[in-house]
């Protein structure tokens, strides 16, 4: 039975890494609730600005800059290219410098081209600008790594799904906000359309900078303090429970097999992040209030297998090219790739099939696809955590495939019917959103179990390949012109085929320490 008081009550924590075992999302005063809030809201404002162009692009910006259909499609593709590169870089950056600073860096770097939108005067300028605005999309990776670092295995699927789902809804809210800001500037401030759409982009810039500054001021790197001291904090927490010794490997060493564990004698030396010897006094009094009760072996596995390392390129390659990373990458390629490409064209698709709705009307209906992330992506994470309690990690993996295959079925149905009936079309899009966005939540519920000591690398690869899917699917949309229905069913066939091909792979490596 769910205890509603956990939504604001200080959570019980893991004694080793101090990760919370519940989400006090309604309590921003609490450290865990505060990080949860800034994780989702930081990604929300990033997504809002990242997708601020499509709501105004089809009519207002296209008319002002004299854009062709090809120019619009190319700008949608280029907006995803920078995000792909940044996500691949952001993963290792999270492992090295911590997710909070990586998150802030993505937001600030992406805010600069956002405020420069007013300088665009032609199609080439738009392509260059949207490329650099795409940096904001890379903030997804530190959002998920930061969330994973504060919430324990029993609840991290839900935490990741809520932070990403609430954040992704920015892609829906932008379809309301940007036309509303534009209309207000035109009707209330009496600006011309040429000037109004340019001024509108100042608003997300101000919000992004404000959120980033607050994030840096009031949020910590990890539940135990500074990112650079996470290894020492883990070692000290073990010492408080009478477990000392070299149980946390030196940073940069990636464990690949389970080791026999024992509790070394009190006061035996340990090694910190730079190899220095450390001795902890286990005779001091430690408070165990608010801690979860877990066994010694589980504490050791958590310390050895789930404390994030800073691996070299050589050590990272086995993680990047493992079969388990392949599964999360290919599944996210299909689901999030489809979401990104559909977000870019959905307003135009509705305008083609329902021209009487106009730019504002089609924009509002297109917004619903992104807004459904508020409910559907968290639902995927919640269901994944519930299944995990009964079946373990295999259950999480099979949930991903079920979600994805049903997503493909809806995409095929949308493409083949290409309905001009609003009820049918909007109903099919909502059905697809339920499974597609739920699959995204389920995938990033599985990701933290895969090579947990390199969570940034796995998250970066998965997020980056998801973005690659968006690029590939956007290219298909581009070459199909306005035949949007055909591209929908092509994406559906690809999604089903890919998930069937990877469904047999184990969810985590056989001898992996931690993450079970």
């Amino acid at each position: 039975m769910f205890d509603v008081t956990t939504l604001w009550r200080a959570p019980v924590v893991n004694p080793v890494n101090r990760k919370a075992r519940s989400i006090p999302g309604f309590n921003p005063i609490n450290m865990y609730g505060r990080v949860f809030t800034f994780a989702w809201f930081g990604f929300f404002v990033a997504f809002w600005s990242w997708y601020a162009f499509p709501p105004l692009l089809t009519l207002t910006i296209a008319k002002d800059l004299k854009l062709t259909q090809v120019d619009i499609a190319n700008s949608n593709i280029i907006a995803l290219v920078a995000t792909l590169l940044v996500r691949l870089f952001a993963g290792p950056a999270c492992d090295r410098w911590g997710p909070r600073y990586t998150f802030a860096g993505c937001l600030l770097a992406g805010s600069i081209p956002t405020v420069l939108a007013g300088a665009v005067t032609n199609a080439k300028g738009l392509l260059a600008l949207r490329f650099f605005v795409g940096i904001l999309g890379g903030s997804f990776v530190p959002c998920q790594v930061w969330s994973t670092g504060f919430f324990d295995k029993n609840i991290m699927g839900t935490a990741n799904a809520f932070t990403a789902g609430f954040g992704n809804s920015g892609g829906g809210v932008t379809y309301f906000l940007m036309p509303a800001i534009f209309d207000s500037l035109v009707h209330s401030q009496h600006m011309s359309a040429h000037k109004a759409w340019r001024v509108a982009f100042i608003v997300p810039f101000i919000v992004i900078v404000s959120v980033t500054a607050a994030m840096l001021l009031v949020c910590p790197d990890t539940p135990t303090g500074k990112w650079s001291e996470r290894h020492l904090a883990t070692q000290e927490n073990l010492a408080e429970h009478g477990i000392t010794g070299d149980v946390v490997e030196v940073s940069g060493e990636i464990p690949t097999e389970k080791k026999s564990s024992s509790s070394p004698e009190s006061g035996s030396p340990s090694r910190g992040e730079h190899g220095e010897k450390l001795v902890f006094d286990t005779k001091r009094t430690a408070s165990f209030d608010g801690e979860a009760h877990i066994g010694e072996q589980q504490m050791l596995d958590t310390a050895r297998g789930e404390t994030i390392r800073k691996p070299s390129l050589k050590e990272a390659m086995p993680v990047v090219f493992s079969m388990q990373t392949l599964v999360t990458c290919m599944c996210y390629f299909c689901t999030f790739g489809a979401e990104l490409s559909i977000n870019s064209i959905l307003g135009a698709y509705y305008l083609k099939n329902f021209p009487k709705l106009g730019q504002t009307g089609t924009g509002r209906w297109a917004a619903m696809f992104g807004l459904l992330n508020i409910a559907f992506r968290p639902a995927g994470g919640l269901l994944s955590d519930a299944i995990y309690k009964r079946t373990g990690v295999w259950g999480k993996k099979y949930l991903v495939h079920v979600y994805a295959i049903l997503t493909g079925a809806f995409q095929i149905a949308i493409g083949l019917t290409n309905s001009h009936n609003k009820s049918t079309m909007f109903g099919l899009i909502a059905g697809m959103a339920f499974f597609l966005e739920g699959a995204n939540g389920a995938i990033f519920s599985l990701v933290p179990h895969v090579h947990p000591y390199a969570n940034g690398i796995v998250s970066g690869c998965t997020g980056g390949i998801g973005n690659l899917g968006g690029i590939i699917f956007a290219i298909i949309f581009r070459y199909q012109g306005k035949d949007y229905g055909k591209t929908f069913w092509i994406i559906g066939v690809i999604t089903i085929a890919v998930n069937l091909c990877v469904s047999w792979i184990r969810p985590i490596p056989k001898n992996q320490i931690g993450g079970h």
Side-chain angles (χ1 to χ4, degrees):
M1 178 68 78
F2 174 70
D3 182 0
V4 71
T5 64
T6 59
L7 294 176
W8 59 81
R9 193 180 65 212
V12 172
V13 300
N14 185 305
V16 178
N17 51 31
R18 317 305 294 178
K19 291 185 180 183
R21 296 181 65 82
S22 62
I23 306 172
F26 291 168
N27 183 3
I29 297 175
N30 178 271
M31 174 179 67
Y32 299 95
R34 191 163 60 250
V35 168
F36 175 80
T37 300
F38 274 95
W40 77 257
F41 193 64
F43 186 45
F44 173 91
V45 297
F47 219 110
W48 163 24
S49 184
W50 184 24
Y51 271 82
F53 276 95
L56 303 176
L57 188 59
T58 307
L59 292 181
T60 302
I61 298 176
K63 182 180 178 180
D64 188 41
L65 300 182
K66 298 179 175 57
L67 304 177
T68 65
Q69 179 65 28
V70 172
D71 291 330
I72 294 172
N74 286 341
S75 76
N76 288 334
I77 294 168
I78 204 70
L80 301 176
V81 173
T83 306
L84 167 62
L85 300 175
V86 172
R87 287 188 176 191
L88 293 174
F89 170 78
C94 286
D95 289 346
R96 182 167 294 276
W97 296 294
R100 184 172 66 110
Y101 284 113
T102 305
F103 203 165
C106 289
L107 292 174
L108 291 175
S111 70
I112 296 171
T114 297
V115 78
L116 293 176
V120 174
T121 58
N122 54 44
K124 290 182 179 179
L126 179 66
L127 289 175
L129 186 84
R130 292 201 70 186
F131 174 83
F132 289 105
V133 170
I135 293 171
L136 290 167
S139 63
F140 169 76
V141 173
C143 165
Q144 295 294 273
V145 176
W146 202 24
S147 174
T148 298
F150 274 80
F151 298 98
D152 211 11
K153 288 194 292 289
N154 69 306
I155 201 72
M156 66 184 174
T158 302
N160 284 353
F162 269 103
T163 53
F166 287 1
N168 275 8
S169 69
V173 170
T174 192
Y175 273 95
F176 288 106
L177 283 177
M178 296 310 291
I181 295 169
F182 171 79
D183 290 342
S184 175
L185 292 171
V186 171
H187 298 125
S188 299
Q189 303 299 320
H190 308 294
M191 291 184 183
S192 65
H194 168 80
K195 185 177 181 180
W197 77 261
R198 289 172 162 81
V199 174
F201 281 87
I202 296 175
V203 178
F205 166 77
I206 294 172
V207 176
I208 289 172
V209 173
S210 300
V211 170
T212 304
M215 178 191 297
L216 291 173
L217 287 172
V218 304
C219 294
D221 291 329
T222 73
T224 57
K226 293 182 179 179
W227 181 257
S228 60
E229 298 174 358
R230 65 196 182 281
H231 300 84
L232 309 185
T234 299
Q235 191 75 61
E236 189 168 5
N237 289 337
L238 286 173
E240 288 179 349
H241 293 79
I243 305 171
T244 61
D246 294 312
V247 293
V248 180
E249 282 98 344
V250 178
S251 177
E253 296 178 1
I254 292 186
T256 56
E257 297 181 358
K258 283 198 172 187
K259 302 175 183 178
S260 60
S261 61
S262 60
S263 296
E265 294 180 0
S266 175
S268 61
S270 306
R271 296 192 179 275
E273 186 169 356
H274 303 291
E276 69 274 20
K277 289 188 176 182
L278 302 168
V279 178
F280 296 101
D281 180 10
T282 61
K283 295 180 181 180
R284 63 190 176 91
T285 303
S287 173
F288 299 93
D289 290 342
E291 289 185 352
H293 299 287
I294 63 176
E296 179 181 310
Q297 183 60 54
Q298 188 176 350
M299 292 174 71
L300 287 166
D301 285 348
T302 297
R304 286 174 171 162
E306 299 178 21
T307 302
I308 292 178
R309 274 68 172 167
K310 294 190 295 187
S312 66
L313 180 64
K314 179 180 178 181
E315 293 162 337
M317 287 301 100
V319 174
V320 173
F321 293 105
S322 75
M323 297 297 285
Q324 287 68 34
T325 305
L326 174 70
V327 171
T328 60
C329 287
M330 294 312 298
C331 291
Y332 210 56
F333 173 94
C334 296
T335 57
F336 191 65
E339 181 177 352
L340 290 177
S341 60
I342 291 169
N343 255 333
S344 295
I345 60 88
L346 196 54
Y349 188 16
Y350 286 164
L351 192 62
K352 172 179 174 287
N353 283 20
F354 314 111
K356 292 183 179 179
L357 290 175
Q359 175 177 269
T360 301
T362 55
R364 287 172 179 169
W365 278 106
M368 300 308 295
F369 178 65
L371 286 173
L372 288 171
N373 269 295
I374 294 174
F376 292 166
R377 185 154 184 161
L382 283 164
L383 183 56
S384 182
D385 281 341
I387 290 174
Y388 172 68
K389 292 175 183 177
R390 290 174 169 79
T391 65
V393 187
W394 269 108
K396 282 192 171 188
K397 182 174 184 293
Y398 279 125
L399 177 65
V400 169
H401 298 316
V402 169
Y403 261 129
I405 289 170
L406 291 173
T407 296
F410 268 90
Q411 289 165 340
I412 292 171
I414 292 167
L416 294 179
T417 59
N418 192 31
S419 180
H420 285 70
N421 178 282
K422 284 185 282 189
S423 298
T424 302
M425 174 62 82
F426 298 154
L428 285 172
I429 292 292
M432 177 191 68
F434 177 83
F435 292 106
L436 183 149
E437 292 164 5
N440 289 335
I443 291 168
F444 267 85
S445 175
L446 176 62
V447 164
H449 293 275
V450 179
H451 308 299
Y453 49 84
N455 181 246
I457 294 173
V458 178
S459 296
C461 289
T462 304
I465 298 301
N467 226 78
L468 177 62
I471 295 170
I472 299 298
F473 295 150
I475 291 172
I476 298 174
F477 273 118
R478 185 242 190 259
Y479 281 101
Q480 294 301 324
K482 292 190 176 182
D483 191 357
Y484 301 112
K486 183 176 180 180
T487 304
F488 262 92
W489 70 254
I490 290 173
I491 293 174
V493 170
I494 292 172
T495 298
I496 293 173
V498 166
N499 277 270
L500 290 176
C501 287
V502 300
S503 61
W504 60 273
I505 299 173
R506 293 178 61 90
I508 59 177
K510 188 174 182 180
N511 295 319
Q512 176 178 291
I513 302 173
H516 293 273

